[in-house]
Amino acid sequence: MIETDILIIGAGPTGLFTVFEAGLLKLKCHIIDGLPQPGGQLTELYPKKPIFDIPGYPSVLAGDLVDNLMEQIKQFQPGFTLNETAETIDKLEDGTFIVTSNKGTKHHANSIAIAGGLGSFEPRKPILKDIEFYENDRGIEYFVKDPEKFRDKKIVISGGGDSALDWSIFLSNVASEVTLVHRRNEFRGALDSVEKVQELKNEGKIKLVTPGEVIGFSGSEKIESVDIQVGTARTTVACDYFIPLFGLTPKLGAIANWGLDIEKNAIKVNNALDYQTNIEGIYAIGDVNTYPGKLKLILCGFHEATLMVQSVYQRMNPGKKYVLKYTTVSGIDGFDGTRKEAEKQVVKAIE
């Protein structure tokens, strides 16, 4: 049985930052996540993409942000149950919880913080014959986890949104050939990305097929080419990888069966106080929650985590007043015995 003060479900940026804020209050955290490594969407979907709206970082790669968060929480020694999902929850008579994973790992916690982002993701797959055959490293990739995998390869990307545009732009400097296929002439994406693709097309760095649609594949063991319908004509494009980027379908998974108030695949919380759900002791923070005026931004998740741990502190220490101390003044004492603090001011008389 794993014992902890706060069990965090979800190792994305909000879940990771919760460890830091909890650590300042001397609260111990353990994180459970279905992925084999921390980082959530940032690690799984777009580790090499820049993020521009993190305070203090004009631009930071998603993977680097995860690395920084892991470094920030290291001294608070969080535990991790990775590659497992939270399956069942039992509330005990004393108000604490036991959460059991799909692999049988049991976690006992005073409070639960659901920070599962938008839930688990499944790619929206095109309905094409033999598509399953070409999965599992045979040429079809639904995510770009490591761009170097496509170094000097011929790539066909299908889609008309930001992901298709962004990865076409990025891989134009990695792959030997990039072909972007979209069933319409118009794209639904950031204007600067559309203009950049237009520029790269004019330079011959991206081949654009619009309106067109991938309708089939060829290759005995791996993909060797894709068939594209363009109007009434059909053309064949040689490729090593086909990347259909039609978006992702989020699912809450087993959490949806825990008796929580759910609205449009998100968990309703009390945003006027502490982001607690309808079950006392269970909180939801980050993209997984919903309330009037909700914005699904990483920085909003950080804010929600900060207020949530204050509520957990009161739950564990009823009647005890916590005096907020700024880290610039108080410093940070880690559970591992380390201490971070500002350099002492020099006291010296002026003669």
Side-chain angles (χ1 to χ4, degrees):
M1 181 83 72
I2 295 172
E3 299 282 346
T4 189
D5 295 325
I6 305 176
L7 179 65
I8 302 168
I9 299 173
T14 296
L16 295 177
F17 187 68
T18 301
V19 176
F20 176 78
E21 288 296 327
L24 296 179
L25 301 177
K26 308 301 181 186
L27 301 177
K28 188 73 175 176
C29 293
H30 190 91
I31 300 178
I32 181 171
D33 197 283
L35 296 175
Q37 68 284 317
Q41 295 180 57
L42 274 63
T43 300
E44 185 72 2
L45 303 184
Y46 46 88
K48 299 298 182 181
K49 287 187 69 175
I51 302 173
F52 300 106
D53 59 357
I54 302 298
Y57 288 92
S59 175
V60 59
L61 294 180
D64 290 343
L65 177 60
V66 172
D67 290 341
N68 291 341
L69 286 165
M70 290 294 290
E71 179 64 28
Q72 186 178 29
I73 67 176
K74 183 170 62 175
Q75 67 181 143
F76 294 123
Q77 299 179 312
F80 288 91
T81 299
L82 298 175
N83 219 19
E84 299 184 31
T85 57
E87 193 73 17
T88 62
I89 185 168
D90 296 292
K91 191 169 187 178
L92 306 182
E93 290 185 3
D94 63 357
T96 63
F97 301 89
I98 292 180
V99 175
T100 305
S101 78
N102 61 322
K103 296 183 180 179
T105 307
K106 292 186 178 296
H107 311 76
H108 181 218
N110 174 276
S111 301
I112 308 295
I114 302 174
L118 294 174
S120 59
F121 288 90
E122 294 181 3
R124 292 192 178 99
K125 302 180 181 181
I127 302 174
L128 295 171
K129 183 181 178 182
D130 297 329
I131 190 168
E132 290 83 6
F133 175 80
Y134 291 105
E135 296 173 349
N136 301 317
D137 210 30
R138 289 187 172 184
I140 289 184
E141 301 287 338
Y142 297 106
F143 307 114
V144 180
K145 297 179 183 179
D146 180 12
E148 284 301 314
K149 182 175 185 175
F150 308 104
R151 173 71 63 182
D152 299 326
K153 303 294 185 181
K154 294 180 179 180
I155 310 299
V156 173
I157 295 175
S158 186
D162 283 313
S163 291
L165 292 166
D166 292 346
W167 282 121
S168 294
I169 294 168
F170 189 95
L171 292 176
S172 67
N173 293 315
V174 177
S176 63
E177 184 178 290
V178 173
T179 301
L180 176 59
V181 182
H182 183 39
R183 59 184 178 179
R184 299 185 183 91
N185 291 321
E186 300 79 18
F187 287 83
R188 291 179 178 270
L191 180 59
D192 59 341
S193 296
V194 176
E195 292 176 343
K196 182 62 176 178
V197 168
Q198 178 69 63
E199 178 185 329
L200 292 170
K201 173 182 178 288
N202 295 341
E203 294 174 358
K205 294 183 178 180
I206 289 179
K207 296 181 179 179
L208 192 61
V209 181
T210 61
E213 189 172 0
V214 174
I215 59 173
F217 321 100
S218 297
S220 57
E221 295 297 326
K222 297 185 67 175
I223 280 184
E224 297 174 4
S225 64
V226 296
D227 298 323
I228 304 174
Q229 189 76 36
V230 185
T232 59
R234 175 184 289 194
T235 184
T236 298
V237 176
C239 71
D240 300 297
Y241 290 98
F242 171 52
I243 310 174
L245 297 173
F246 298 140
L248 302 168
T249 302
K251 293 185 178 181
L252 283 176
I255 293 174
N257 302 318
W258 287 4
L260 301 168
D261 283 345
I262 307 293
E263 182 180 282
K264 296 181 179 179
N265 210 45
I267 302 171
K268 295 175 68 174
V269 296
N270 174 9
N271 68 304
L273 186 60
D274 54 10
Y275 304 98
Q276 196 159 193
T277 69
N278 59 301
I279 300 177
E280 184 183 356
I282 301 181
Y283 304 78
I285 52 178
D287 288 357
V288 76
N289 74 16
T290 185
Y291 52 83
K294 169 69 178 182
L295 294 177
K296 294 183 183 296
L297 297 171
I298 293 174
L299 62 92
C300 294
F302 290 166
H303 164 77
E304 294 163 10
T306 303
L307 297 186
M308 183 273 296
V309 297
Q310 296 286 330
S311 178
V312 173
Y313 180 85
Q314 292 300 323
R315 175 177 162 82
M316 296 186 66
N317 303 279
K320 184 177 181 180
K321 183 175 177 58
Y322 172 73
V323 179
L324 176 66
K325 296 180 181 180
Y326 299 107
T327 56
T328 50
V329 176
S330 64
I332 302 174
D333 292 305
F335 297 161
D336 57 0
T338 61
R339 177 170 175 77
K340 295 179 181 177
E341 60 182 336
E343 293 184 10
K344 301 294 185 181
Q345 292 180 316
V346 176
V347 179
K348 190 177 189 305
I350 300 178
E351 298 179 358

